[in-house]
């Protein structure tokens, strides 16, 4: 019996501890430290960002190099702005608890429509065929981008356990990257099964920005597929970071 325990201990010791996906910092850029970032995506050379809080919620087009806001539109002050994503010549945006999303013209930020949905609105991304929405739980909802009607859901799990509080999302190379609220880690999710493939631990970046506000968590992922650039930021963070993942 003692031998068996010893053997088990040796085996456990020999099993490498789980290692998160390695990454390196490529560059950092200025970011509006007043932006309570709820959504982020890249399109044609610039970032698009949405911010939260009633009365302060906006859709923004942001120049990467210096963080200059090139275009902005306010969301009606009764709403708390959440995730955004582009679809063709449109931007789709969510609100937190009003179960109402908005459609905007990408070129000039004119609001052109709205749509209802179930549950809370948190993050939003798209995979080229469908929009993908998080709602603060472990569910991801796949939405028809034209009718804005939900088509299916997956439950996100890690090691057999639910991964709730999924927040800002980004579709990157066939995976869904998701911020997890109040965490400095990003989940790499298999869109078919909902299983977490691996984690990206960005706590060194959170430490580097050093914003003490409790709400100033990592939130915001944007991907420039053409140049393979991945951008991340956080609520009230003074910087947007470009990082490079090293995948196996
Ligand atoms: Ca995003």
């Amino acid at each position: 019996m003692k031998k068996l325990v010893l053997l088990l201990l040796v085996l456990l010791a020999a099993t490498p501890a789980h290692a998160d996906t390695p990454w390196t910092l490529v560059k950092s850029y200025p970011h509006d430290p007043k932006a309570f970032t709820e959504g982020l995506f890249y399109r044609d050379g610039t970032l698009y960002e949405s911010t939260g809080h009633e009365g302060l919620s906006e859709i923004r087009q942001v120049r990467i190099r210096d963080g200059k806001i090139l275009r902005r539109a306010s969301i009606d002050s009764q709403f708390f702005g959440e995730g955004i994503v582009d679809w063709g010549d449109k931007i789709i945006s969510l609100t937190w608890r009003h179960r109402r999303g908005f459609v905007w013209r990408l070129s000039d930020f004119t609001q052109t429509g709205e749509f209802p949905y179930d549950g809370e609105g948190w993050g939003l991304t798209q995979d080229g065929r469908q929009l993908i929405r998080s709602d603060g739980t472990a569910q991801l909802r796949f939405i028809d981008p034209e009718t804005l009607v939900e088509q299916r859901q997956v439950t996100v799990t890690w090691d057999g356990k639910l991964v709730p509080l999924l927040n800002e999302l980004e579709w990157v190379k066939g995976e869904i990257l998701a911020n997890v609220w109040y965490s400095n880690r990003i989940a790499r999710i298999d869109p078919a099964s909902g299983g977490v493939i691996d984690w990206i631990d960005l706590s060194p970046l959170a430490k580097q920005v050093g914003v003490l506000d409790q709400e100033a968590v990592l939130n915001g992922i944007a991907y420039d597929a053409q140049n393979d650039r991945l951008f991340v930021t956080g609520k009230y963070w003074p910087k947007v970071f470009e990082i490079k993942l090293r995948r196996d």
Side-chain angles (χ1 to χ4, degrees):
M1 191 63 190
K2 245 183 192 170
K3 267 186 186 167
L4 184 62
V5 171
L6 194 65
L7 180 67
L8 278 173
L9 283 174
V10 169
L11 279 175
L12 277 174
T15 309
H18 168 72
D20 294 326
T21 301
W23 56 272
T24 49
L25 175 61
V26 178
K27 212 169 170 180
S28 62
Y29 304 91
H31 177 240
D32 177 4
K34 293 196 179 74
F36 196 74
T37 309
E38 295 288 4
L40 195 70
F41 70 84
Y42 172 93
R43 169 118 172 204
D44 300 333
T46 61
L47 291 174
Y48 290 80
E49 179 170 11
S50 59
T51 61
H53 286 303
E54 292 88 352
L56 296 172
S57 295
E58 289 188 347
I59 308 283
R60 300 173 169 188
Q61 183 187 15
V62 180
R63 191 158 68 193
I64 296 171
R65 151 163 72 84
D66 56 4
K68 182 180 162 63
I69 300 166
L70 301 173
R71 192 186 296 281
R72 67 205 303 169
S74 294
I75 298 169
D76 191 300
S77 65
Q78 66 177 299
F79 299 109
F80 191 115
E82 287 279 350
I84 49 167
V85 73
D86 62 321
W87 184 260
D89 56 1
K90 294 177 282 197
I91 293 175
I92 314 293
S93 79
L94 301 175
T95 59
W96 183 22
R97 286 176 163 162
H98 283 83
R99 300 178 179 220
R100 202 185 307 181
F102 297 109
V103 183
W104 312 74
R105 201 184 294 144
L106 182 88
S107 59
D108 63 5
F109 286 9
T110 302
Q111 202 175 298
T112 58
E114 57 179 74
F115 61 100
Y117 53 81
D118 288 333
E120 295 188 357
W122 285 44
L124 199 58
T125 191
Q126 54 116 327
D127 63 4
R129 290 171 301 138
Q130 291 171 301
L131 309 186
I132 306 163
R133 171 164 76 89
S134 65
D135 60 11
T137 70
Q139 296 300 114
L140 290 178
R141 300 158 185 259
F142 292 75
I143 298 154
D144 183 308
E146 298 300 337
T147 63
L148 300 168
V149 171
E150 187 179 312
Q151 296 181 311
R152 73 178 177 101
Q153 293 190 11
V154 292
T155 305
V156 177
T157 57
W158 165 248
D159 206 15
K161 295 183 195 77
L162 295 178
V163 180
L165 302 174
L166 297 173
N167 205 358
E168 223 278 303
L169 306 172
E170 190 69 24
W171 179 263
V172 180
K173 296 182 180 174
E175 299 174 359
I176 301 165
L177 302 193
N179 285 121
V180 178
W181 193 42
Y182 272 122
S183 139
N184 289 312
R185 294 201 306 170
I186 289 173
R188 291 174 51 196
I189 300 163
D190 173 352
S193 67
V196 172
I197 299 156
D198 202 3
W199 295 90
I200 305 161
D201 180 3
L202 296 181
S203 42
L205 295 183
K207 204 170 167 191
Q208 185 181 327
V209 297
V211 183
L212 295 176
D213 190 310
Q214 268 196 333
E215 300 293 325
V217 289
L218 179 75
N219 199 45
I221 315 168
Y223 185 55
D224 166 12
Q226 202 178 0
N227 301 299
D228 192 24
R229 292 188 294 171
L230 187 62
F231 300 95
V232 295
T233 192
K235 299 172 179 183
Y236 300 145
W237 284 21
K239 285 179 181 170
V240 168
F241 297 98
E242 182 187 336
I243 62 169
K244 188 131 203 112
L245 302 183
R246 216 173 68 227
R247 293 154 196 261
D248 299 327

